[in-house]
Structures are given as C-alpha cells and as structure tokens.
Amino acid sequence: MSIENSNDESVLRFYENIRIQVAADRASGGRHHLLGNTAKQHADVLREEIDRRRLTADRIDWP
C-alpha cells in the first residue's frame, strides 16, 4: 500500500513513530542509533504527504 492510499491517521501515526524513535536516539546520548538514512528518507516522504494534506504534526528534530 502506498502512502497516498493511507488514511490521515495512519500517515500521522507512521510519522509520529519515527519522531519517537529519533527522540529515543537523542536520549541515549548518541551511544545507539535506532534509525538511519532510510528512516530519514521515509520520514521526508511522510512529511511531504502531511504537508500536501494540510495536516499538522511536530517536525522531527534530527540529530
């Protein structure tokens, strides 16, 4: 299933899950990285879809 076919709630939930994992990476003090470039690319696609749909979500603060 593509992102375009997902409902608003699912898009926001996917994005929020990545944001939470990035926050966990930051909280670990950089010792462990749960996410890499693939997750960042996926988050960018989700962010574009969120913006296209005019939804609101906190931006991810990437380390």
Side-chain angles (χ1 to χ4, degrees):
M1 181 194 304
S2 68
I3 296 296
E4 295 84 21
N5 294 330
S6 297
N7 64 33
D8 292 352
E9 182 180 314
S10 293
V11 172
L12 291 171
R13 190 172 342 121
F14 293 147
Y15 188 77
E16 180 65 12
N17 285 337
I18 294 172
R19 198 177 68 69
I20 289 168
Q21 291 176 43
V22 169
D25 276 356
R26 283 178 148 319
S28 75
R31 291 174 290 173
H32 305 288
H33 290 285
L34 303 172
L35 302 176
N37 286 333
T38 302
K40 187 170 185 345
Q41 291 169 353
H42 187 63
D44 289 343
V45 169
L46 289 166
R47 183 78 239 179
E48 288 174 10
E49 187 64 18
I50 288 167
D51 291 344
R52 186 185 72 75
R53 295 182 188 200
R54 298 179 184 188
L55 302 172
T56 58
D58 292 336
R59 292 214 175 256
I60 295 174
D61 184 20
W62 293 94

